PDB file of all heavy atoms in Angstrom:
ATOM      1  N   ALA W  88      -2.688  -2.319   2.593  1.00 81.00           N
ATOM      2  CA  ALA W  88      -3.814  -3.206   2.878  1.00 81.00           C
ATOM      3  C   ALA W  88      -4.760  -2.574   3.893  1.00 81.00           C
ATOM      4  O   ALA W  88      -5.983  -2.662   3.758  1.00 81.00           O
ATOM      5  CB  ALA W  88      -3.312  -4.549   3.393  1.00 81.00           C
ATOM      6  N   PHE W  89      -4.194  -1.907   4.899  1.00 80.00           N
ATOM      7  CA  PHE W  89      -5.031  -1.265   5.907  1.00 80.00           C
ATOM      8  C   PHE W  89      -5.678   0.000   5.357  1.00 80.00           C
ATOM      9  O   PHE W  89      -6.801   0.344   5.723  1.00 80.00           O
ATOM     10  CB  PHE W  89      -4.209  -0.941   7.155  1.00 80.00           C
ATOM     11  CG  PHE W  89      -3.700  -2.175   7.853  1.00 80.00           C
ATOM     12  CD1 PHE W  89      -2.351  -2.473   7.847  1.00 80.00           C
ATOM     13  CD2 PHE W  89      -4.560  -3.042   8.487  1.00 80.00           C
ATOM     14  CE1 PHE W  89      -1.873  -3.601   8.477  1.00 80.00           C
ATOM     15  CE2 PHE W  89      -4.096  -4.177   9.126  1.00 80.00           C
ATOM     16  CZ  PHE W  89      -2.750  -4.461   9.120  1.00 80.00           C
ATOM     17  N   GLU W  90      -4.981   0.707   4.453  1.00 83.00           N
ATOM     18  CA  GLU W  90      -5.561   1.892   3.836  1.00 83.00           C
ATOM     19  C   GLU W  90      -6.752   1.506   2.970  1.00 83.00           C
ATOM     20  O   GLU W  90      -7.763   2.209   2.939  1.00 83.00           O
ATOM     21  CB  GLU W  90      -4.504   2.618   3.006  1.00 83.00           C
ATOM     22  CG  GLU W  90      -3.418   3.252   3.851  1.00 83.00           C
ATOM     23  CD  GLU W  90      -2.227   3.731   3.037  1.00 83.00           C
ATOM     24  OE1 GLU W  90      -2.270   3.633   1.800  1.00 83.00           O
ATOM     25  OE2 GLU W  90      -1.250   4.200   3.653  1.00 83.00           O
ATOM     26  N   ALA W  91      -6.654   0.373   2.271  1.00 80.00           N
ATOM     27  CA  ALA W  91      -7.766  -0.099   1.451  1.00 80.00           C
ATOM     28  C   ALA W  91      -8.965  -0.441   2.319  1.00 80.00           C
ATOM     29  O   ALA W  91     -10.114  -0.187   1.938  1.00 80.00           O
ATOM     30  CB  ALA W  91      -7.334  -1.313   0.640  1.00 80.00           C
ATOM     31  N   GLN W  92      -8.722  -0.980   3.508  1.00 78.00           N
ATOM     32  CA  GLN W  92      -9.808  -1.298   4.433  1.00 78.00           C
ATOM     33  C   GLN W  92     -10.501  -0.027   4.913  1.00 78.00           C
ATOM     34  O   GLN W  92     -11.722   0.022   5.026  1.00 78.00           O
ATOM     35  CB  GLN W  92      -9.281  -2.095   5.620  1.00 78.00           C
ATOM     36  CG  GLN W  92     -10.376  -2.576   6.550  1.00 78.00           C
ATOM     37  CD  GLN W  92      -9.832  -3.310   7.757  1.00 78.00           C
ATOM     38  OE1 GLN W  92      -8.712  -3.063   8.192  1.00 78.00           O
ATOM     39  NE2 GLN W  92     -10.622  -4.202   8.305  1.00 78.00           N
ATOM     40  N   GLU W  93      -9.732   1.021   5.174  1.00 80.00           N
ATOM     41  CA  GLU W  93     -10.323   2.298   5.592  1.00 80.00           C
ATOM     42  C   GLU W  93     -11.188   2.882   4.478  1.00 80.00           C
ATOM     43  O   GLU W  93     -12.271   3.411   4.739  1.00 80.00           O
ATOM     44  CB  GLU W  93      -9.224   3.298   5.981  1.00 80.00           C
ATOM     45  CG  GLU W  93      -8.532   2.963   7.281  1.00 80.00           C
ATOM     46  CD  GLU W  93      -9.461   3.001   8.479  1.00 80.00           C
ATOM     47  OE1 GLU W  93     -10.328   3.896   8.545  1.00 80.00           O
ATOM     48  OE2 GLU W  93      -9.338   2.117   9.335  1.00 80.00           O
ATOM     49  N   MET W  94     -10.710   2.794   3.248  1.00 79.00           N
ATOM     50  CA  MET W  94     -11.490   3.295   2.112  1.00 79.00           C
ATOM     51  C   MET W  94     -12.789   2.514   1.971  1.00 79.00           C
ATOM     52  O   MET W  94     -13.835   3.074   1.642  1.00 79.00           O
ATOM     53  CB  MET W  94     -10.674   3.209   0.819  1.00 79.00           C
ATOM     54  CG  MET W  94      -9.495   4.151   0.775  1.00 79.00           C
ATOM     55  SD  MET W  94      -9.971   5.887   0.913  1.00 79.00           S
ATOM     56  CE  MET W  94     -10.735   6.123  -0.660  1.00 79.00           C
ATOM     57  N   LEU W  95     -12.737   1.224   2.219  1.00 75.00           N
ATOM     58  CA  LEU W  95     -13.927   0.388   2.142  1.00 75.00           C
ATOM     59  C   LEU W  95     -14.946   0.797   3.205  1.00 75.00           C
ATOM     60  O   LEU W  95     -16.142   0.856   2.945  1.00 75.00           O
ATOM     61  CB  LEU W  95     -13.536  -1.078   2.314  1.00 75.00           C
ATOM     62  CG  LEU W  95     -14.592  -2.113   1.979  1.00 75.00           C
ATOM     63  CD1 LEU W  95     -14.948  -2.034   0.495  1.00 75.00           C
ATOM     64  CD2 LEU W  95     -14.094  -3.497   2.309  1.00 75.00           C
ATOM     65  N   LYS W  96     -14.459   1.115   4.410  1.00 73.00           N
ATOM     66  CA  LYS W  96     -15.355   1.568   5.472  1.00 73.00           C
ATOM     67  C   LYS W  96     -16.030   2.883   5.090  1.00 73.00           C
ATOM     68  O   LYS W  96     -17.225   3.076   5.320  1.00 73.00           O
ATOM     69  CB  LYS W  96     -14.580   1.760   6.777  1.00 73.00           C
ATOM     70  CG  LYS W  96     -14.252   0.485   7.498  1.00 73.00           C
ATOM     71  CD  LYS W  96     -13.525   0.791   8.790  1.00 73.00           C
ATOM     72  CE  LYS W  96     -13.081  -0.471   9.483  1.00 73.00           C
ATOM     73  NZ  LYS W  96     -12.317  -0.190  10.701  1.00 73.00           N
ATOM     74  N   LEU W  97     -15.265   3.799   4.505  1.00 72.00           N
ATOM     75  CA  LEU W  97     -15.837   5.076   4.100  1.00 72.00           C
ATOM     76  C   LEU W  97     -16.861   4.890   2.989  1.00 72.00           C
ATOM     77  O   LEU W  97     -17.880   5.577   2.949  1.00 72.00           O
ATOM     78  CB  LEU W  97     -14.730   6.028   3.643  1.00 72.00           C
ATOM     79  CG  LEU W  97     -13.772   6.516   4.731  1.00 72.00           C
ATOM     80  CD1 LEU W  97     -12.656   7.337   4.114  1.00 72.00           C
ATOM     81  CD2 LEU W  97     -14.518   7.331   5.768  1.00 72.00           C
ATOM     82  N   ALA W  98     -16.608   3.968   2.085  1.00 68.00           N
ATOM     83  CA  ALA W  98     -17.545   3.717   0.990  1.00 68.00           C
ATOM     84  C   ALA W  98     -18.856   3.136   1.518  1.00 68.00           C
ATOM     85  O   ALA W  98     -19.931   3.417   0.980  1.00 68.00           O
ATOM     86  CB  ALA W  98     -16.924   2.774  -0.026  1.00 68.00           C
ATOM     87  N   LYS W  99     -18.790   2.327   2.563  1.00 64.00           N
ATOM     88  CA  LYS W  99     -20.005   1.741   3.128  1.00 64.00           C
ATOM     89  C   LYS W  99     -20.849   2.792   3.840  1.00 64.00           C
ATOM     90  O   LYS W  99     -22.074   2.674   3.882  1.00 64.00           O
ATOM     91  CB  LYS W  99     -19.649   0.621   4.101  1.00 64.00           C
ATOM     92  CG  LYS W  99     -19.213  -0.644   3.415  1.00 64.00           C
ATOM     93  CD  LYS W  99     -18.931  -1.728   4.426  1.00 64.00           C
ATOM     94  CE  LYS W  99     -18.484  -2.997   3.738  1.00 64.00           C
ATOM     95  NZ  LYS W  99     -18.172  -4.058   4.706  1.00 64.00           N
ATOM     96  N   ASP W 100     -20.218   3.814   4.418  1.00 60.00           N
ATOM     97  CA  ASP W 100     -20.965   4.851   5.114  1.00 60.00           C
ATOM     98  C   ASP W 100     -21.860   5.630   4.154  1.00 60.00           C
ATOM     99  O   ASP W 100     -22.955   6.050   4.515  1.00 60.00           O
ATOM    100  CB  ASP W 100     -20.009   5.815   5.823  1.00 60.00           C
ATOM    101  CG  ASP W 100     -19.363   5.181   7.042  1.00 60.00           C
ATOM    102  OD1 ASP W 100     -19.874   4.160   7.518  1.00 60.00           O
ATOM    103  OD2 ASP W 100     -18.337   5.722   7.502  1.00 60.00           O
ATOM    104  N   TYR W 101     -21.392   5.831   2.949  1.00 60.00           N
ATOM    105  CA  TYR W 101     -22.150   6.587   1.972  1.00 60.00           C
ATOM    106  C   TYR W 101     -22.804   5.580   1.041  1.00 60.00           C
ATOM    107  O   TYR W 101     -22.213   5.131   0.075  1.00 60.00           O
ATOM    108  CB  TYR W 101     -21.221   7.529   1.195  1.00 60.00           C
ATOM    109  CG  TYR W 101     -21.959   8.407   0.225  1.00 60.00           C
ATOM    110  CD1 TYR W 101     -22.692   9.480   0.687  1.00 60.00           C
ATOM    111  CD2 TYR W 101     -21.946   8.157  -1.130  1.00 60.00           C
ATOM    112  CE1 TYR W 101     -23.381  10.285  -0.187  1.00 60.00           C
ATOM    113  CE2 TYR W 101     -22.628   8.955  -2.011  1.00 60.00           C
ATOM    114  CZ  TYR W 101     -23.351  10.017  -1.536  1.00 60.00           C
ATOM    115  OH  TYR W 101     -24.043  10.820  -2.398  1.00 60.00           O
ATOM    116  N   TYR W 102     -24.037   5.217   1.336  1.00 62.00           N
ATOM    117  CA  TYR W 102     -24.655   4.127   0.604  1.00 62.00           C
ATOM    118  C   TYR W 102     -25.509   4.563  -0.568  1.00 62.00           C
ATOM    119  O   TYR W 102     -25.722   3.808  -1.493  1.00 62.00           O
ATOM    120  CB  TYR W 102     -25.442   3.218   1.555  1.00 62.00           C
ATOM    121  CG  TYR W 102     -26.565   3.912   2.280  1.00 62.00           C
ATOM    122  CD1 TYR W 102     -27.865   3.784   1.830  1.00 62.00           C
ATOM    123  CD2 TYR W 102     -26.333   4.668   3.411  1.00 62.00           C
ATOM    124  CE1 TYR W 102     -28.897   4.411   2.478  1.00 62.00           C
ATOM    125  CE2 TYR W 102     -27.351   5.292   4.073  1.00 62.00           C
ATOM    126  CZ  TYR W 102     -28.642   5.158   3.616  1.00 62.00           C
ATOM    127  OH  TYR W 102     -29.656   5.777   4.264  1.00 62.00           O
TER     128      TYR W 102
END
Side-chain angles (χ1 to χ4, degrees):
F89 295 111
E90 291 168 4
Q92 186 183 28
E93 289 297 321
M94 292 300 289
L95 192 64
K96 283 182 185 177
L97 292 175
K99 285 182 180 179
D100 288 343
Y101 184 75
Y102 61 100

